[in-house]
Amino acid sequence: MAMTASDIERLIKEAIPDAIVDIRDLAGDGDHYAANVISAAFKGKTRVQQHQMVYSALKGGMGSELHALALQTSAPQD
Amino acid sequence: MSENPVFDRIKSEVASQDVVLFMKGTPVFPQCGFSNAVVQVLTYLGVPFKGINVLEDDDIRQGIKEFSEWPTIPQLYVKGEFVGGCDIIREMFEQGELRDYLAQKGIQTEAA
């Protein structure tokens, strides 16, 4: 069962409430997305930690239902 | 929770060379676009690395995700440290950070 863009956005926002989430469907198959996530919660964290936060928000979906999520994360500019 | 028995094998692979890439396929025949992207970056920078084909070993394929708490392949390790997957390596490369990072770790890269 693939994931929809709105599933991804909802899950990320549930875990990271202030996140601004911009998702692009790369292939139209529910399996390949690009997402840009901006949140103050990323401040001071390494990229690996930021991406791990997003992956854990997806509750195991990443790498199973969701094959590919090209991810970019950043903290809001001050 | 006892440690996953495959972790010892992973630790020895990670320590076996300065730059180790857990990937799908081999450096000569990558079998996944994301793995290939990292191979291209390392090749462009002239960085020697060891490719470990997770498709040939399901224990490693699952174990590496637990080991690094990272759900996808490829995974790049430099001097035993997990650096990131395809997105992070590509972003670091595009922003010129990867060359600096490797230099900090004492790893030579070819001049641009």
Side-chain angles (χ1 to χ4, degrees):
Chain A
M1 192 231 32
M3 280 178 112
T4 65
S6 54
D7 288 336
I8 297 169
E9 184 164 354
R10 178 178 46 76
L11 285 169
I12 292 174
K13 287 189 169 171
E14 274 171 18
I16 311 172
D18 77 323
I20 300 163
V21 184
D22 164 36
I23 297 183
R24 281 172 293 114
D25 187 338
L26 297 178
D29 58 3
D31 222 0
H32 296 75
Y33 292 95
N36 190 350
V37 184
I38 300 169
S39 164
F42 293 147
K43 206 161 266 176
K45 292 205 165 51
T46 66
R47 276 197 191 90
V48 169
Q49 289 165 332
Q50 294 175 21
H51 286 215
Q52 281 172 326
M53 285 170 70
V54 175
Y55 289 148
S56 67
L58 298 176
K59 298 193 172 75
M62 186 65 236
S64 48
E65 299 103 280
L66 188 52
H67 176 66
L69 178 65
L71 193 53
Q72 256 190 317
T73 54
S74 56
Q77 302 303 326
D78 293 337
Chain B
M1 187 193 84
S2 71
E3 197 174 70
N4 183 331
V6 81
F7 282 11
D8 291 338
R9 279 173 52 208
I10 290 173
K11 283 175 193 163
S12 71
E13 289 288 9
V14 163
S16 66
Q17 199 164 314
D18 282 350
V19 182
V20 176
L21 178 64
F22 290 82
M23 61 178 292
K24 289 178 182 173
T26 63
V28 178
F29 292 110
Q31 288 170 265
C32 153
F34 299 108
S35 292
N36 185 38
V38 177
V39 167
Q40 296 305 319
V41 165
L42 295 173
T43 307
Y44 175 83
L45 291 174
V47 172
F49 67 97
K50 177 177 184 177
I52 291 167
N53 184 359
V54 302
L55 299 178
E56 284 174 3
D57 185 328
D58 211 49
D59 289 341
I60 293 258
R61 181 175 185 174
Q62 299 315 322
I64 193 69
K65 296 175 185 174
E66 218 179 293
F67 180 76
S68 58
E69 292 168 49
W70 189 263
T72 56
I73 303 290
Q75 295 187 18
L76 184 67
Y77 290 76
V78 172
K79 296 259 174 126
E81 204 179 290
F82 175 58
V83 184
C86 178
D87 296 335
I88 288 178
I89 298 307
R90 206 182 346 214
E91 195 172 338
M92 287 177 76
F93 175 64
E94 283 160 4
Q95 295 181 9
E97 290 174 27
L98 189 55
R99 206 187 283 276
D100 300 341
Y101 174 84
L102 291 167
Q104 270 167 32
K105 297 284 181 182
I107 291 166
Q108 285 308 324
T109 54
E110 275 172 19

